[in-house]
Amino acid sequence: MIRYFFDIRDGAELYPDEEGLELPNERAAEIEAAHTLAAMARDATDLGDRHDTAIEVRTEAGPVFQLALVFEVNRLKN
């Protein structure tokens, strides 16, 4: 098992994961990150016109991948 850390980037702010989660492989970490990001999107209330959120996944050896979601409102004229 590998310990993965899921740091949250919200705009310019970074919230490091101090505990991590032991998972069997990188694919399991991708699924965990995707579920977490989806939950964050469901709970978002104040997005403004654009809001960038990402989960930066790392192990003790260093960065592994980043999963990002960009909320952007494109207003259409009628």
Side-chain angles (χ1 to χ4, degrees), residues 17-67:
D17 177 1
E18 303 285 335
E19 297 177 22
L21 185 62
E22 287 190 356
L23 297 168
N25 54 43
E26 188 174 324
R27 180 67 181 141
E30 291 171 357
I31 292 168
E32 180 67 26
H35 287 175
T36 301
L37 200 56
M40 291 171 63
R42 275 192 311 273
D43 295 339
T45 57
D46 182 23
L47 302 177
D49 285 340
R50 183 181 171 103
H51 189 89
D52 300 344
T53 302
I55 298 179
E56 298 178 1
V57 180
R58 61 184 166 85
T59 65
E60 292 179 354
V64 179
F65 66 89
Q66 179 190 67
L67 185 67

Side-chain angles (χ1 to χ4, degrees), residues 1-12:
M1 298 285 262
I2 302 167
R3 183 167 295 275
Y4 290 89
F5 298 89
F6 298 84
D7 302 331
I8 306 295
R9 182 167 300 279
D10 188 19

Side-chain angles (χ1 to χ4, degrees), residues 74-78:
N74 293 312
R75 302 197 191 285
L76 303 175
K77 294 182 180 182
N78 290 331

